[in-house]
């Protein structure tokens, strides 16, 4: 039922000989490291792009947010948040295009529906330069388009591999459908 990123982590640990219980512990540790990484990354990014007080406030907000609960769960939410934040920071700081592509694909592998939102985040991060100096960010825009296409292809291929259909049929089961407002 889980997206590609969490399946790959579990599969890798399984091949390394970890028991099911140990894999769950490892996923919880991954969540905790992702939480710490998110706090540090938001602080570092805001310090570089804004100011030290704003960086401190951003780190405090992340530290006191619902992510604190996810920091010790085995769900992939915290890793997804960290990779999305890393992608956003890379776009804001104009990291090398290949880094942005890699982070887009990694963040996109954490949620099957992530790619349009990641594309929007990337475009918004580049927006000032897209309007004022499009040549400066042309490679980034092409990288975002390539990343979205690759992420979609990887997600569809993974679903086809495990379900013989392009989407995840578990998401449309009656148990997961809310039938009222």
């Amino acid at each position: 039922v889980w997206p590609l990123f969490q399946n790959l982590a579990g599969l890798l640990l399984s091949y390394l000989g970890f028991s099911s219980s140990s894999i769950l512990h490892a996923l919880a540790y991954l969540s905790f490291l992702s939480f710490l990484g998110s706090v540090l990354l938001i602080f570092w990014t805001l310090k570089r792009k804004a100011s030290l007080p704003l960086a401190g406030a951003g780190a405090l907000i992340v530290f006191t947010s619902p992510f604190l609960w996810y920091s010790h769960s085995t769900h992939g939410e915290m890793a997804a948040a960290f990779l999305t934040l890393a992608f956003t920071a890379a776009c804001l700081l104009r990291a090398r295009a290949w880094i942005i592509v890699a982070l887009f694909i990694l963040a996109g592998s954490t949620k099957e529906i992530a790619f349009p939102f990641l594309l929007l985040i990337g475009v918004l991060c580049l927006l000032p330069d897209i309007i004022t100096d499009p040549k400066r960010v042309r490679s980034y825009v092409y990288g975002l388009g390539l990343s979205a296409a690759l992420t979609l292809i990887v997600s569809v291929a993974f679903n086809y591999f495990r379900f013989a259909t392009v989407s995840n049929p578990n998401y449309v089961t009656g148990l997961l459908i809310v039938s009222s407002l």
Side-chain angles (χ1 to χ4, degrees):
V1 110
W2 309 116
L4 178 60
F5 185 83
Q6 197 164 357
N7 271 286
L8 287 178
L11 187 63
L12 175 67
L13 294 171
S14 178
Y15 279 137
L16 292 174
F18 284 70
S19 67
S20 295
S21 176
S22 297
I23 291 172
L24 288 175
H25 279 38
L27 290 174
Y29 289 131
L30 177 64
S31 289
F32 182 70
L33 291 174
S34 296
F35 175 75
L36 291 179
S38 295
V39 172
L40 293 173
L41 186 58
I42 196 125
F43 180 83
W44 180 73
T45 302
L46 287 174
K47 186 178 171 196
R48 289 193 62 198
K49 293 297 284 183
S51 66
L52 185 60
L54 189 58
L60 183 64
I61 288 169
V62 171
F63 194 76
T64 59
S65 74
F67 287 142
L68 185 59
W69 183 86
Y70 284 115
S71 72
H72 65 277
S73 76
T74 58
H75 302 297
E77 306 301 331
M78 201 60 243
F82 172 72
L83 289 170
T84 302
L85 180 60
F87 166 74
T88 304
C91 288
L92 284 171
L93 298 171
R94 303 295 192 268
R96 295 179 184 227
W98 69 269
I99 293 172
I100 291 174
V101 169
L103 286 170
F104 188 116
I105 293 169
L106 278 172
S109 72
T110 64
K111 301 281 180 222
E112 292 170 337
I113 191 65
F115 77 93
F117 299 102
L118 293 169
L119 185 60
L120 181 62
I121 289 168
V123 168
L124 288 174
C125 289
L126 299 174
L127 194 55
D129 287 337
I130 288 174
I131 294 170
T132 59
D133 191 7
K135 289 181 182 180
R136 182 175 173 206
V137 293
R138 183 175 296 156
S139 65
Y140 292 107
V141 172
Y142 291 149
L144 289 175
L146 174 67
S147 301
L150 288 174
T151 301
L152 182 61
I153 289 168
V154 166
S155 183
V156 166
F158 181 62
N159 281 332
Y160 193 78
F161 169 75
R162 65 182 173 162
F163 301 121
T165 181
V166 296
S167 64
N168 185 338
N170 293 313
Y171 292 152
V172 293
T173 61
L175 179 65
L176 299 177
I177 303 295
V178 177
S179 59
S180 68
L181 293 176

